[in-house]
Amino acid sequence: MPELPEVETVRRVLKKSLVGKRIKDIDIRYNPIIENDTNSFKENVIGKEIIDIARYGKYLMFCLNKGFILSHLRMEGKYFYMKEKMDNKHIHVVFYFDDDSILYYQDVRKFGRMQYLDGDIYNIPPLSLMGPDLVLNNDISIIDLYNKIHKSNKTIKQLLLDQGIVAGLGNIYVDEVLYASHISPKKKGDKITKRNIEDIIKESKRILSKAIELKGTTIRSYTSSLGVIGGYQDFLQVHTKIVCPNCKMTLNRVKIEGRMTYYCKKCQRWGKWRR
DNA sequence: ACTCCTTCCTGGAAGC
DNA sequence: TGCTTCCAGGAAGGAG
């Protein structure tokens, strides 16, 4: 399940190979992956050159000499770039380049999406609707974030998963950030303090940067994306863990709004002004 | 305008 | 052993 560090890792790998390549043809084998009409997607993309690969939150952006392909990997989306032909039933989109190299998009659960967009990409949906990227944005406003979170009575876990509030966190790293910030995932937005927000931003930056350094987290991953195996799983403190690394108490494993959540009831107390 | 619920999809695990 | 059922999970879209 790629979150910000995994998408950033994919971006770095793809950027090395793909910049300067011209798209000669596209094979779309499963139409729902493409959010545009498939014919107009092809018309817009074939013949274009990839000039850069960027990222915002969990979105990967193939910047073309005109327009962009915005790609979201969701749960299982993976890119494979190679000179050789490959085939399996989970490859849904294939990009052929003018130098006869090939980019395969594989997605076991078919949840991933991609679309062609043109214009001021950051000022049109979906990117215009997103909160600040936790890694790209070095100047996230504590007060703006506090205002957004403080007026809600949803849980902080749910709020941090909302990409409109902050961009990049998914289920794994939210648990890690809340643990590091000593905040219960069940704490409601209107009980969150400015100090909590500062901790969340600081810990998010620390954890996500470290995870990027280690090329992301690989758990329950049968195939490594592009042969890249992440190393951050060795640094996870609570997600998928049994015992709190700090107090050694058994961790709570509960569902919060449908998401499996790991936390330490003792070290992440809510209602108390631990922080 | 907000929140909650359902849908998408598959392989692997669990249950019988 | 082999079949069936359950479940995870990000985000969109519908319902209330």
Side-chain angles (χ1 to χ4, degrees):
Chain A
M1 50 214 84
E3 302 179 34
L4 190 154
E6 292 74 34
V7 178
E8 176 63 17
T9 302
V10 173
R11 184 191 75 82
R12 291 179 181 187
V13 173
L14 290 181
K15 182 167 170 153
K16 284 183 198 159
S17 321
L18 291 182
V19 170
K21 307 279 172 173
R22 191 172 295 276
I23 298 165
K24 193 169 67 179
D25 199 10
I26 304 173
D27 183 9
I28 300 168
R29 302 176 187 176
Y30 182 76
N31 288 347
I33 299 278
I34 310 293
E35 298 195 77
N36 317 85
D37 169 79
T38 50
N39 286 327
S40 66
F41 179 82
K42 283 187 180 182
E43 276 171 33
N44 280 316
V45 171
I46 291 173
K48 297 274 174 64
E49 182 188 329
I50 295 175
I51 58 168
D52 195 12
I53 302 187
R55 179 194 60 76
Y56 193 90
K58 303 178 203 170
Y59 278 99
L60 202 56
M61 299 145 69
F62 297 82
C63 310
L64 309 174
N65 54 332
K66 184 182 185 310
F68 303 82
I69 300 169
L70 200 60
S71 168
H72 198 302
L73 305 171
R74 293 280 183 94
M75 312 300 298
E76 302 271 351
K78 291 176 174 62
Y79 283 102
F80 299 105
Y81 174 76
M82 57 184 73
K83 308 269 180 198
E84 304 80 36
K85 290 212 184 313
M86 73 174 281
D87 201 16
N88 69 56
K89 64 175 179 175
H90 300 303
I91 291 171
H92 307 305
V93 185
V94 187
F95 298 84
Y96 298 94
F97 297 103
D98 56 357
D99 66 348
D100 293 327
S101 60
I102 307 170
L103 180 68
Y104 296 93
Y105 178 73
Q106 171 181 298
D107 193 339
V108 168
R109 295 197 188 162
K110 299 179 175 170
F111 272 15
R113 293 292 179 264
M114 60 182 86
Q115 66 184 120
Y116 174 83
L117 286 172
D118 195 9
D120 188 359
I121 188 94
Y122 292 103
N123 285 311
I124 52 177
L127 297 190
S128 64
L129 303 173
M130 300 190 70
D133 182 287
L134 286 163
V135 168
L136 294 175
N137 194 326
N138 286 318
D139 196 23
I140 296 174
S141 163
I142 306 280
I143 194 69
D144 285 356
L145 200 50
Y146 175 77
N147 288 337
K148 271 197 235 176
I149 286 175
H150 197 255
K151 69 180 181 197
S152 172
N153 67 345
K154 290 185 192 173
T155 63
I156 188 65
K157 165 111 188 192
Q158 201 177 7
L159 290 164
L160 293 179
L161 285 174
D162 181 344
Q163 303 298 299
I165 291 177
V166 283
L169 293 177
N171 203 37
I172 297 172
Y173 293 107
V174 167
D175 283 2
E176 296 299 310
V177 166
L178 288 174
Y179 177 76
S181 306
H182 310 281
I183 301 166
S184 167
K186 291 184 174 175
K187 192 167 180 174
K188 298 292 175 71
D190 52 15
K191 298 283 189 292
I192 291 289
T193 64
K194 292 196 182 84
R195 175 66 191 274
N196 287 155
I197 300 288
E198 285 173 16
D199 288 345
I200 287 168
I201 292 175
K202 192 182 79 194
E203 296 301 334
S204 295
K205 284 187 164 293
R206 181 180 66 79
I207 289 169
L208 294 173
S209 303
K210 172 92 173 168
I212 289 170
E213 249 176 68
L214 295 171
K215 299 182 163 59
T217 299
T218 307
I219 54 172
R220 275 195 306 146
S221 178
Y222 346 107
T223 333
S224 55
S225 157
L226 296 145
V228 175
I229 296 164
Y232 196 76
Q233 61 278 7
D234 298 336
F235 290 85
L236 294 176
Q237 301 293 298
V238 285
H239 197 86
T240 71
K241 303 295 176 187
I242 306 293
V243 173
C244 173
N246 180 45
C247 74
K248 315 299 177 197
M249 207 172 84
T250 303
L251 291 168
N252 272 33
R253 183 177 178 273
V254 294
K255 271 203 172 187
I256 295 180
E257 327 294 338
R259 300 283 173 262
M260 192 51 74
T261 303
Y262 297 77
Y263 72 106
C264 176
K265 214 170 177 178
K266 192 172 162 195
C267 300
Q268 293 168 264
R269 269 176 299 195
W270 62 283
K272 310 287 173 216
W273 306 290
R274 192 187 150 78
R275 281 262 172 166

